[in-house]
Amino acid sequence: SAELMSLGAPALAAGNPPEINYMLHWQGCHLPGGIGHAGIVPKMQGEIGAFLDSNAGRAYLVQVPGAAQSSLDDAELAAGLNWMLPAFDKRGKADFTRYTAEEVARYRETQLTNVSALRRRILSGAAR
């Protein structure tokens, strides 16, 4: 209906399961299955779990612009991350400490400036 079409994708995202929110908010860049675009958009498949090895990495997953600036509320973003981590990285991360809406709200208060450099530091173990 015209009424539904006028709502746009962000309004339609409200109340969706996390895998649908992934499709609406992240799949355009990170592609189905989180495989990314080599040299352009990092892949999540087989790598996203590494960010849980440090507090800085855990915060980073919330603070990257595509997450922090999405139209998802804090609870929806937490649910999305909690779905993506085991869905895209099977390296024993199914028992990770799940994100909460409160934690996401705290991390969203800080905006990242040099996303690529921070990502490299976190994955190299230099940022804890």
Side-chain angles (χ1 to χ4, degrees):
S1 75
E3 200 176 292
L4 183 61
M5 292 185 68
S6 71
L7 292 175
L12 293 175
N16 283 328
E19 56 272 25
I20 299 299
N21 281 337
Y22 175 80
M23 291 169 45
L24 292 170
H25 294 273
W26 299 295
Q27 185 170 290
C29 295
H30 290 281
L31 300 180
I35 62 172
H37 288 282
I40 301 170
V41 177
K43 72 177 188 168
M44 289 191 260
Q45 188 67 47
E47 294 184 4
I48 192 172
F51 289 93
L52 297 180
D53 293 342
S54 70
N55 291 332
R58 188 171 175 88
Y60 174 88
L61 291 179
V62 174
Q63 294 167 339
V64 292
Q69 297 170 10
S70 75
S71 61
L72 297 172
D73 67 27
D74 296 334
E76 291 167 328
L77 181 52
L81 290 167
N82 292 335
W83 173 81
M84 279 187 263
L85 282 152
F88 296 151
D89 197 332
K90 306 288 188 212
R91 297 178 303 157
K93 299 295 185 183
D95 62 348
F96 68 95
T97 300
R98 299 175 66 79
Y99 284 91
T100 65
E102 295 76 21
E103 179 184 21
V104 166
R106 251 189 352 268
Y107 288 146
R108 269 182 153 171
E109 291 174 3
T110 302
Q111 291 189 0
L112 299 183
T113 53
N114 194 335
V115 177
S116 297
L118 178 58
R119 182 178 194 280
R120 284 191 300 275
R121 283 193 5 252
I122 290 168
L123 293 178
S124 73
R128 291 283 161 196

